[in-house]
Amino acid sequence: MPDGNTTLGGPTGKLMEVLAKVMMFKYELVRPPDGLWGAEQPDKSWSGMMGMVYREEVEFALGPFTITPQREAVSDFAIPLASENQAIIMQRPRQETDMGGFLKAFTTEVWLLTALSVAAISSATILLVRAESRVFGRAIKNITSHSMLWVVKALTQEGSEWLPEDNAGRVLVTTWLLASMVFMSSYGGILTAMLTVPRVTISIDSLADLVAQDDLPWRLEAGSMTPRFLMESGEPVRQRVVTGASGTFPDCWSARQSIVDGEFVAICDETTMKKAMAWDFSTSGECHLYIAKEKVYSSAWMAVAFKRNSSFLAQANVIIRTLKEAGMVDHWLGQEIVSTPQCLRSPTLDRQEGVAPLDLETLLGPLLVLAAGLSFASLVFLGELLVTGRS
C-alpha cells in the first residue's frame, strides 16, 4: 500500500477475519521481501511466503498455495480450501486484416496443382494442335502463344476468339473449360465467404501452440510451483515452456494490464484469470483477455500453509471444514469473481454489428498484384521500344 501498511481482502481476507475472531488472536500482516509465493532455490533455501513459513518467521501464510510434495516437506498444510486449474492467458485474438487473404481460399497444394495443370494443358494443347495441323495439312501460325493465352483466359473466365479447329483439340479445351469453371466458381464462393464472414485465428490454444510460435513471448509467475512441475513432467513441450520463457512476473493479478496490452502471454490460475477478466470488462466494457482451452494442470489442491507443528493448525482445520461445509468459501469466491460469459466464449464467436466495409489492407494484396503487373508490362514495353529502335 502507498502508506506502507499491508491490507488483506477477498476470500483469504474473510478467512483471516473468521480465524482471528473464533481463535481469539491478534495478528500482523507481513509481506515477504521479494513479494513471491515461494519456491525452493538451488541452495535448498526457500523464497517468498513459503520461505518465511519454513524459517518460522511467521505462524502461517494464507496464500492459498498449491500443495506440492516439496512444500509439504517444509510446512504443514491445512484442509484444502478449493481445487484450482492453471492455463494460458493472453490478449484476446481479434479479427485481423490480411493482405494475402485472397490467396488463402485454397491451400498451397491446390495452388501448386493448379499451376501444374495450366502448364500441362498448355503443353498438351500446343502438341495436339500441331499434330492435327500436320494430319489435316493445315498451316497454323503462332500455335504456342495462342494456346498458352487461351488456357489462361479460360481459367480466368475471359472470352477468347481463338479455338482449335479440329475435334480432338476442341475436346481438350472443352474439358479445360469445365475444370476452369469449377475452379473459379469455388474460388469466388470461398473468397466471398471469407470476406463477408471474417474469421478470428487463435494462434495459441495449447502449450504446443505456445512453444511453436515466435510472435508472442511468454512468462511464468515467479516463486510458483509451475516451473518445477513442468520440468519434472519429462515432456519436451512442457520443458520447452520453462526454458523458452522470456522471464517472470511477480503475480498474475499485478500483471493483468501487461497481459491485456499484449506484452506477453502468461500461465496463471483460472481464479485470478477470471477475476482479471471481470476487472477488464468492468473498466473497459470490452473483453481483452482469452483463456486457452488446454489446461497446464487441473484440480490442484489449494490450502493455507502453517509452520511445522503449529499449535494453530488443529483448530484452524475445524474452522475451515465448517466454513466449507456451510458453503462460505464458495460464496466468497463467487463474490470475488463476477460472471463474464461473453469474455469466456471463444473469440471465433465475436462478431461486428452490421456489414463492415472492406478496408485498404484487406484489398492491398490484389492491388499489389496489379501494381506488379503494370510494372512488368511497362518493362516489356520499354524493351519493345529498345528492340524496335535498334532494328
Side-chain angles (χ1 to χ4, degrees):
M1 297 296 290
D3 58 2
N5 295 323
T6 301
T7 59
L8 191 63
T12 53
K14 292 181 173 65
L15 174 62
M16 188 67 189
E17 292 176 2
V18 173
L19 291 176
K21 183 176 181 180
V22 176
M23 299 172 67
M24 294 181 293
F25 63 80
K26 295 182 180 181
Y27 62 90
E28 177 185 359
L29 295 175
V30 181
R31 285 183 60 85
D34 54 14
L36 303 179
W37 295 96
E40 188 176 10
Q41 304 302 298
D43 61 358
K44 302 302 180 181
S45 64
W46 282 78
S47 62
M49 289 183 280
M50 286 302 303
M52 299 179 74
V53 173
Y54 172 59
R55 295 186 296 271
E56 298 189 358
E57 298 172 0
V58 295
E59 190 69 31
F60 61 90
L62 284 170
F65 301 89
T66 302
I67 301 176
T68 65
Q70 294 78 23
R71 287 174 172 172
E72 284 185 308
V74 297
S75 67
D76 290 332
F77 282 100
I79 292 175
L81 292 169
S83 63
E84 186 60 271
N85 304 323
Q86 275 214 348
I88 303 168
I89 186 170
M90 72 198 81
Q91 186 182 52
R92 191 174 185 85
R94 299 290 184 185
Q95 174 189 327
E96 296 181 358
T97 54
D98 185 1
M99 66 178 184
F102 72 101
L103 296 174
K104 295 181 179 179
F106 294 131
T107 62
T108 304
E109 291 81 0
V110 173
W111 284 116
L112 290 175
L113 288 174
T114 302
L116 289 174
S117 299
V118 171
I121 293 297
S122 298
S123 302
T125 303
I126 293 169
L127 294 174
L128 186 58
V129 171
R130 282 180 176 173
E132 286 185 319
S133 66
R134 294 194 188 98
V135 170
F136 294 102
R138 188 183 298 111
I140 300 178
K141 297 181 179 180
N142 301 322
I143 294 177
T144 300
S145 59
H146 282 310
S147 298
M148 294 181 64
L149 188 60
W150 183 89
V151 170
V152 174
K153 284 185 174 182
L155 179 65
T156 57
Q157 305 291 288
E158 184 180 351
S160 176
E161 295 181 359
W162 181 85
L163 281 176
E165 297 185 13
D166 300 300
N167 293 333
R170 295 197 173 194
V171 170
L172 179 62
V173 298
T174 300
T175 304
W176 179 243
L177 277 172
L178 291 174
S180 298
M181 181 185 67
V182 173
F183 182 87
M184 294 308 296
S185 298
S186 301
Y187 176 78
I190 295 173
L191 185 61
T192 301
M194 291 175 64
L195 292 176
T196 55
V197 187
R199 296 179 297 177
V200 177
T201 301
I202 302 176
S203 58
I204 302 174
D205 227 358
S206 65
L207 291 178
D209 294 339
L210 181 65
V211 300
Q213 56 85 40
D214 298 320
D215 297 329
L216 290 172
W218 65 89
R219 298 181 185 177
L220 303 176
E221 194 173 21
S224 70
M225 49 74 64
T226 304
R228 183 162 186 169
F229 169 79
L230 294 174
M231 290 301 295
E232 292 181 349
S233 67
E235 298 180 16
V237 170
R238 292 176 177 266
Q239 293 174 341
R240 176 75 176 83
V241 173
V242 180
T243 58
S246 62
T248 61
F249 53 90
D251 63 85
C252 294
W253 178 248
S254 64
R256 63 192 185 281
Q257 187 61 59
S258 298
I259 301 172
V260 167
D261 294 338
E263 294 180 16
F264 55 85
V265 178
I267 294 180
C268 298
D269 62 279
E270 282 195 339
T271 299
T272 303
M273 288 190 285
K274 291 178 180 178
K275 183 179 177 181
M277 279 185 164
W279 161 82
D280 173 51
F281 188 78
S282 64
T283 54
S284 67
E286 298 180 359
C287 301
H288 297 110
L289 292 171
Y290 172 66
I291 301 175
K293 288 183 179 180
E294 183 187 72
K295 301 292 185 294
V296 177
Y297 63 77
S298 302
S299 302
W301 289 112
M302 310 289 290
V304 178
F306 285 77
K307 72 178 186 180
R308 284 292 194 181
N309 302 315
S310 172
S311 58
F312 289 85
L313 179 58
Q315 191 173 359
N317 277 335
V318 174
I319 296 171
I320 292 173
R321 182 183 293 108
T322 302
L323 291 172
K324 287 186 63 177
E325 292 175 350
M328 293 304 299
V329 175
D330 292 336
H331 176 68
W332 292 337
L333 287 172
Q335 287 182 322
E336 194 71 16
I337 303 174
V338 180
S339 177
T340 52
Q342 63 273 40
C343 297
L344 291 173
R345 69 183 183 181
S346 173
T348 57
L349 300 177
D350 294 345
R351 291 285 185 271
Q352 293 183 348
E353 295 182 1
V355 178
L358 298 178
D359 56 20
L360 177 61
E361 189 174 356
T362 302
L363 295 178
L364 187 59
L367 291 176
L368 289 176
V369 173
L370 176 61
L374 291 174
S375 300
F376 183 70
S378 300
L379 292 175
V380 173
F381 177 68
L382 291 175
E384 290 175 340
L385 288 177
L386 291 174
V387 172
T388 304
R390 289 177 180 178
S391 61

